[in-house]
Amino acid sequence: MTGLAIPALLRASHIKPWSHCETDAERLDVYNGLLLAPHLDAAFDCGFVTVANDGTVVVSAALSPDARILLGLDRTLRLHGLTDGHRAYLIYHRDVVFSG
């Protein structure tokens, strides 16, 4: 999303939350994960952002304009490299976790 390429500053984020997974296979599925900057990982986990099937980052109306600016979410962000495996989990995230 941000283009940050410093692995030490990135976090592995589950798309379908660990606690919502029904099996260990789901928890450990590489397609149930995204590599995000810490602030985006927190926003994603809390449902303030999600990702559309084309990779566009969708921001919740619950975030104020000031918060969007501070978080760098006041511009169009896009996640590259999504596969159908990711998209299956992103449907769950948009339907259950995201607070549109």
Side-chain angles (χ1 to χ4, degrees), residues 2-97:
T2 63
L4 182 63
I6 304 170
L9 296 177
L10 297 173
R11 302 290 178 262
S13 183
H14 281 87
I15 300 170
K16 183 176 183 179
W18 183 277
S19 62
H20 295 204
C21 292
E22 296 175 19
T23 65
D24 286 339
E26 241 183 1
R27 288 182 186 96
L28 301 174
D29 187 348
V30 297
Y31 297 108
N32 186 23
L34 300 172
L35 203 53
L36 303 173
H39 70 294
L40 295 175
D41 172 45
F44 187 79
D45 283 351
C46 293
F48 288 113
V49 297
T50 194
V51 179
N53 280 340
D54 67 356
T56 302
V57 175
V58 180
V59 181
S60 171
L63 279 181
S64 71
D66 288 340
R68 289 172 187 238
I69 291 168
L70 288 169
L71 293 168
L73 297 170
D74 57 326
R75 58 190 172 94
T76 301
L77 296 176
R78 184 178 214 132
L79 189 64
H80 299 280
L82 288 180
T83 67
D84 288 340
H86 294 107
R87 287 181 187 95
Y89 288 107
L90 285 168
I91 291 168
Y92 182 90
H93 189 271
R94 289 191 300 265
D95 290 348
V96 178
V97 180

